[in-house]
Amino acid sequence: MGSAIVGRAPFLLSPKPKSFWISGVPSNWSKDGLLVGLHAIDPSLEAHPHPYQLSLFPACCGPTQTALLCLDICTEYFQHLKPNESKYEWIPTKDNKPEVLLVLDCHFHDLTPLNNPEDEIVADVVAVTGLAGHAFGSWRSRETHQMWLMDFLPNYVENIRIMSYGYDSSLVGDCESESGLFDYRRTFIQQLENSRGSDESRPIIFIAHSMGGILVLQALVESKHNPRYRHILNSTRGIFFFGTPHQGLRTDELEGMVDTETGGQESRVNLLKQLKGGSEFLESQKEDLSRIWKEFQGKIVSFYETLESGKYERGRSKVMMVKRLSAELYLPGECRVPVEKNHTVKPCTGVSPEDVRWLNSGGATGVYIYVVSDMVKFASEIDRTFQTVVKHMRECIALPSLHKVLLSTIDSVDLDRFLQVLSAIDQDEYKTTIQPLDHGQPTFYWIFRNMDFEQWNSGSDSRVLWLSGPSGCNIHRVSSYIVDQAKNKASRTRQFVLYFFYSTAIRGKPIATVLIHTFLNQIICSSLVDKRILIVKTFLRALATRERAPNWNSPFEMSDSLDAIMGKMLGAQINELWDALKAVLDGEPKRKLLIVIDELGGAEHQNDKSIRGVWSFIR
């Protein structure tokens, strides 16, 4: 997680470039146009004698651009920009156009784009920093000043969109945020959804350092439980964990350094308690993750340090803060990669504020500590760990997505095999056991001479008829009679007649699922032969390509057979199955529909779900 070092000198000017983020740049602005705007904000920048670098990238969401400004030596304007401050600057424009609002900061909170893919994006790569980390500086080498996510990775893995994610997790100082892990999770997953736009099936690869790995896992837990974010879990192809304390972190010393009398610091103590080994939070996360790993189709790579690392030093005492056993998940198929680096610390006089977050533990005495890690800082492209990341990332992108697997299954579906997988029940076979009736018999006058029934039977618009009565009324005979009469007319009217007798339901199977499967089977069998396979594919595509991926009851595995995949798709949530059936009927707009369901009010199991589902469907 990091090392804690004590010193007695305040922070000095860093010799490495300091970076600033600029958002709100209009899409039609070039670098030159942005420079004009920056000169309006800070006139000294125009005559600045020291080199600086300016890069433009499309914003993670929305039509604007964002920019990265790296200064070797800061001008007075940028030097006075506070660590957690965002400055809002209005830039005048020509031709009486509205002023442009630029936002400048050096904290890099939320998502930050780091490249501009030339062709269609093949995957989103999201790098999440750790406890007290910095979304840009935590990934930048102190030796070469290279930021590998921006300077190396795009050259080795083409057409990926790279973003870093930052959040305020500094432990001490004037902390205005009272966020805990659940707040971090909600903000992070909302930012992810915003950045995805309409392409929710695009693969995601997470790179997570330290507590950032816990945050990524929490996002997956949220996407598992919340259908709104389900697409994030379904699209995740890989997770690269760097020193993530899955089993917990030793936090006693860090808790002791947090000044609880300073505003907002009580939340930091609670945050550390959540990360502590054996905490209720981490135990609950393990339980949630056990269900996720059963269906996770991506790649997991865990990097752990082999050098003595992560130590807290105060005087002569030393304790190990993150043990190697805590940095691994011990899952089948997990790749475990040793890294010959540690949480090495440099003298405080040469460290940039982008590398660390100062922790003032001495109050008036001026004692400082800081957290810093070399584990995710690659000085060059030949770094062995960087090359390992590239290899595994390419493999992640090559993995077939769940969406592609499902569409491939649909394209190759066989009608006879599909009908065999359906949990449909032959209603005509049951009808042969029902005694026919004569509607002229006085026994059935209460139905056939009822004004409501006559109005329903002669009407041309959509109407609902609900028949109920004691068991001796033989309502099932009436239902069978209505079905026979409707089927006799169907050859002339091209009407779909869908019918189901609840007494045929199989115990142990969800009645609503069997009902929908039976209706689908009847639609297929009553359609022209050359249309039947199209109906099957329409139904399955509606399940596989919904705006938000269905919450599958059974996890998919890459080794599943075609029959197994179809079976799991057909076992989707009830509301998804109803919507897929609607999609089939929407493809037949000229065909009317008659639905007869016998003993709906007397269903023994899942009665409420069945009634609600049928009512929603016929409306």
Side-chain angles (χ1 to χ4, degrees), residues 393-436:
M393 188 172 293
R394 288 171 175 170
E395 292 175 357
C396 290
I397 294 174
L399 287 173
S401 67
L402 171 60
H403 183 68
K404 288 184 178 180
V405 170
L406 297 183
L407 292 182
S408 176
T409 300
I410 294 169
D411 290 338
S412 59
V413 67
D414 177 80
L415 179 61
D416 292 335
R417 291 174 67 181
F418 177 82
L419 294 176
Q420 291 174 8
V421 175
L422 273 179
S423 299
I425 298 175
D426 189 343
Q427 301 297 298
D428 288 332
E429 182 178 350
Y430 173 73
K431 280 175 77 294
T432 61
T433 66
I434 299 176
Q435 181 182 355

Side-chain angles (χ1 to χ4, degrees), residues 592-603:
K592 295 182 179 180
L593 178 67
L594 174 69
I595 298 177
V596 177
I597 303 177
D598 186 70
E599 298 183 41
L600 175 60

Side-chain angles (χ1 to χ4, degrees), residues 138-383:
S138 290
W139 311 95
R140 182 153 78 169
S141 167
R142 287 193 296 273
E143 288 79 17
T144 65
H145 302 168
Q146 296 291 294
M147 202 282 201
W148 65 275
L149 292 168
M150 183 176 71
D151 297 323
F152 303 158
L153 190 58
N155 300 326
Y156 284 81
V157 186
E158 295 181 347
N159 297 320
I160 55 175
R161 181 174 65 154
I162 306 170
M163 298 171 282
S164 66
Y165 184 77
Y167 49 100
D168 183 8
S169 60
S170 56
L171 294 179
V172 294
D174 295 329
C175 176
E176 299 179 358
S177 172
E178 296 187 4
S179 298
L181 275 168
F182 290 118
D183 300 304
Y184 290 140
R185 177 176 85 178
R186 293 189 182 103
T187 302
F188 178 46
I189 202 166
Q190 186 60 60
Q191 290 286 312
L192 282 176
E193 186 183 40
N194 292 347
S195 71
R196 305 283 283 168
S198 60
D199 193 356
E200 294 183 343
S201 63
R202 180 189 296 154
I204 307 174
I205 300 171
F206 292 105
I207 301 174
H209 176 228
S210 179
M211 192 187 88
I214 304 296
L215 182 53
V216 167
L217 294 176
Q218 281 296 300
L220 296 186
V221 169
E222 177 72 15
S223 66
K224 169 69 174 176
H225 293 160
N226 191 337
R228 174 186 178 88
Y229 304 120
R230 181 70 181 192
H231 63 94
I232 292 175
L233 176 58
N234 288 344
S235 300
T236 300
R237 294 286 185 87
I239 312 174
F240 294 69
F241 292 110
F242 283 87
T244 295
H246 300 290
Q247 314 306 323
L249 165 73
R250 175 162 179 149
T251 63
D252 295 346
E253 291 73 25
L254 290 176
E255 289 179 37
M257 296 172 189
V258 178
D259 180 10
T260 55
E261 295 182 1
T262 305
Q265 296 312 311
E266 185 176 350
S267 64
R268 292 301 182 247
V269 174
N270 294 332
L271 173 63
L272 291 173
K273 287 180 178 179
Q274 287 179 306
L275 297 174
K276 191 170 186 175
S279 71
E280 183 178 347
F281 172 82
L282 290 177
E283 291 302 313
S284 175
Q285 177 174 272
K286 289 179 188 177
E287 187 174 337
D288 289 330
L289 291 174
S290 66
R291 292 184 283 270
I292 289 178
W293 298 140
K294 290 179 182 179
E295 62 181 276
F296 185 68
Q297 302 298 325
K299 192 178 187 69
I300 297 175
V301 187
S302 296
F303 295 86
Y304 63 91
E305 299 156 322
T306 58
L307 300 182
E308 204 171 52
S309 64
K311 291 194 172 182
Y312 163 76
E313 302 182 11
R314 190 162 198 167
R316 295 183 179 179
S317 63
K318 294 185 178 182
V319 292
M320 183 65 71
M321 298 174 68
V322 182
K323 297 181 179 180
R324 169 181 168 180
L325 293 178
S326 184
E328 300 177 17
L329 285 165
Y330 301 97
L331 294 172
E334 175 188 8
C335 297
R336 304 178 185 95
V337 183
V339 180
E340 292 185 8
K341 289 185 180 180
N342 58 18
H343 289 79
T344 304
V345 192
K346 303 295 183 182
C348 64
T349 56
V351 182
S352 165
E354 294 172 6
D355 293 321
V356 300
R357 296 295 177 90
W358 284 98
L359 313 180
N360 184 353
S361 64
T365 64
V367 178
Y368 290 84
I369 64 166
Y370 61 84
V371 177
V372 63
S373 174
D374 280 335
M375 191 181 193
V376 290
K377 297 176 183 293
F378 307 142
S380 71
E381 298 166 271
I382 63 173
D383 185 283

Side-chain angles (χ1 to χ4, degrees), residues 28 37 47 53 88 112 137 150 159 185 254 264 269 271 341 352-353 465-466 474 514 522 538 543 554:
N28 62 344
Q53 178 183 359
Y88 298 86
T112 298
M150 183 176 71
N159 297 320
R185 177 176 85 178
L254 290 176
V269 174
L271 173 63
K341 289 185 180 180
S352 165
L465 175 68
W466 188 305
N474 293 309
V514 175
Q522 291 169 353
T538 298
L543 288 175
S554 300

Side-chain angles (χ1 to χ4, degrees), residues 508-519:
K509 288 193 174 184
I511 292 179
T513 300
V514 175
L515 170 68
I516 296 170
H517 286 198
T518 300
F519 281 176

Side-chain angles (χ1 to χ4, degrees), residues 495-508:
Q495 183 182 50
F496 279 128
V497 181
L498 310 182
Y499 48 100
F500 187 83
F501 293 84
Y502 260 94
S503 56
T504 66
I506 303 173
R507 289 187 178 275

Side-chain angles (χ1 to χ4, degrees), residues 39-65:
H39 295 161
I41 297 172
D42 180 11
S44 65
L45 186 63
E46 188 171 6
H48 194 51
H50 302 283
Y52 60 85
Q53 178 183 359
L54 182 66
S55 304
L56 268 177
F57 306 112
C60 294
C61 59
T64 62
Q65 300 182 90

